[in-house]
Amino acid sequence: MANNVNRVALIGTGFVGSSYAFALLNQGVTEELVLIDLNKEKSEGDAMDLNHGLAFAPSSTKIWYGSYDDCKTADLVVLCAGANQKPGETRLDLVAKNLKIFKAIVTDVMESGFDGIFIVATNPVDILSYAVWKYSGLPQSRVIGSGTILDTARFRYLIGEHFKVDTRNVHAYIIGEHGDTELPVWSHADIGGLPILDSITNEKEKLDEIFVNVRDAAYHIINRKGATYYGIAMGLVRLTKAILQNENSILTVSCYLAGEYGEDDVYIGVPAIVNRNGVHKVIELRLNEQEKKQFAHSASVLKETMDPFFKG
């Protein structure tokens, strides 16, 4: 990160990648943005289109279609490439095909001399984050998955809708796998410091309904429009900003556990302090017994899916 100008290298300019680039430009988060994709014409077109909006952007950003060589001086490489989740597929169904793609990408990035931070957005994000760490040889703190950052945002939104409170005043987390085994941490959910469990003690069915709608949100969106991209793009920009501006913000990202929550050698979504150096510290919430069991189950599903590829 010796470069005085913040550079983000985006690999993969599909729905998520291009939405991320658009949101990044709109918020003026970085000075340089390089787009990298096998589909050269698509990425060149995106770069042209984005540059034409610079007159309306909050700050100047240099945007161009580039190559892996441009990763050498990048502060962040954001991975949005890979196969998309199709209707009826789970995120874990994508493991084999995306591991192959990612090994080639990460090898090319590291050969450029890259020494920054990876952000992984492609699914299954927890397993691919572990893969990027293994393939890159970088410290665990400098490989970060988007984890449950979007699930947590969805959770806060639906709670806010129920209580008619601004989403930004809802404090709650979804942790675990970004997928079917994720879990809500109701024991630490509050609005303005007031525990939600104290507010809706007689509405367990409503709590369950809110969580199910969070967990299954991607399936509903995919069935309607083919893919999810706006929400995750905004989440990725939030993570990018936290890193580049050295915020020490707490975000629910996929990061490496080395004993936290009783788990080891796994990337999984948990609250963590994020700054210019990557993951500074994992925040270990005091889960209740049910939450502990759910989290352990989520981690075990990830390990069982991942182990044949890394420990076989």
Side-chain angles (χ1 to χ4, degrees):
M1 291 195 175
N3 193 4
N4 292 325
V5 175
N6 287 323
R7 176 181 292 186
V8 174
L10 167 63
I11 301 177
T13 57
F15 286 130
V16 172
S18 57
S19 297
Y20 167 70
F22 182 60
L24 204 62
L25 174 63
N26 271 284
Q27 295 187 39
V29 175
T30 187
E31 288 83 15
E32 294 185 351
L33 173 61
V34 54
L35 310 180
I36 302 169
D37 196 288
L38 286 174
N39 188 340
K40 180 182 177 182
E41 288 193 353
K42 165 68 165 63
S43 290
E44 283 181 331
D46 278 331
M48 293 168 66
D49 203 2
L50 290 166
N51 277 316
H52 296 164
L54 279 171
F56 313 111
S59 60
S60 179
T61 306
K62 180 182 177 183
I63 306 169
W64 73 101
Y65 169 79
S67 68
Y68 288 111
D69 289 340
D70 293 305
C71 296
K72 181 177 181 178
T73 55
D75 300 281
L76 294 178
V77 167
V78 181
L79 300 174
C80 295
N84 293 324
Q85 186 178 355
K86 297 176 182 178
E89 273 190 324
T90 69
R91 297 177 181 97
L92 294 180
D93 289 333
L94 301 174
V95 176
K97 59 179 98 171
N98 279 337
L99 280 176
K100 185 177 179 181
I101 294 169
F102 264 51
K103 188 166 188 177
I105 290 173
V106 174
T107 298
D108 286 339
V109 170
M110 296 310 295
E111 285 179 352
S112 76
F114 174 68
D115 193 36
I117 294 171
F118 275 107
I119 293 179
V120 183
T122 307
N123 284 317
V125 68
D126 305 290
I127 293 173
L128 291 179
S129 298
Y130 185 94
V132 170
W133 167 57
K134 284 288 191 180
Y135 298 155
S136 69
L138 290 175
Q140 299 139 0
S141 60
R142 289 201 274 138
V143 177
I144 309 172
S146 54
T148 50
I149 196 169
L150 175 57
D151 311 89
T152 292
R154 289 166 171 161
F155 194 38
R156 293 170 61 198
Y157 166 73
L158 289 174
I159 291 171
E161 282 284 288
H162 178 70
F163 286 100
K164 295 180 172 55
V165 173
D166 189 326
T167 301
R168 293 167 295 184
N169 297 126
V170 177
H171 305 284
Y173 298 115
I174 296 288
I175 63 173
E177 173 209 354
H178 173 52
D180 296 339
T181 66
E182 66 188 31
L183 62 134
V185 188
W186 286 114
S187 63
H188 288 276
D190 72 77
I191 298 175
L194 299 174
I196 288 174
L197 288 180
D198 290 351
S199 303
I200 47 178
T201 52
N202 298 320
E203 294 186 73
K204 185 181 182 303
E205 288 185 3
K206 186 60 187 178
L207 296 184
D208 293 340
E209 180 186 335
I210 288 172
F211 169 62
V212 168
N213 284 333
V214 170
R215 184 194 65 199
D216 296 344
Y219 298 127
H220 296 308
I221 294 170
I222 289 168
N223 285 338
R224 286 165 172 78
K225 56 180 270 186
T228 69
Y229 37 93
Y230 297 136
I232 186 57
M234 294 288 283
L236 290 171
V237 171
R238 179 69 192 93
L239 178 53
T240 300
K241 185 179 177 184
I243 294 169
L244 294 182
Q245 298 186 8
N246 198 33
E247 288 183 350
N248 284 309
S249 290
I250 298 174
L251 300 169
T252 46
V253 292
S254 185
C255 53
Y256 187 84
L257 297 189
E260 297 91 348
Y261 294 93
E263 298 297 334
D264 184 61
D265 197 34
V266 66
Y267 266 79
I268 195 167
V270 290
I273 299 172
V274 179
N275 61 25
R276 186 81 186 188
N277 296 313
V279 172
H280 173 65
K281 182 182 179 181
V282 171
I283 302 297
E284 194 165 3
L285 301 171
R286 291 185 179 179
L287 305 179
N288 62 33
E289 289 305 311
Q290 179 184 356
E291 291 163 350
K292 287 178 182 177
K293 290 178 182 177
Q294 288 177 293
F295 187 82
H297 172 65
S298 189
S300 70
V301 168
L302 284 172
K303 288 180 178 180
E304 287 169 9
T305 306
M306 179 177 65
D307 284 354
F309 299 97
F310 295 98
K311 297 181 181 178

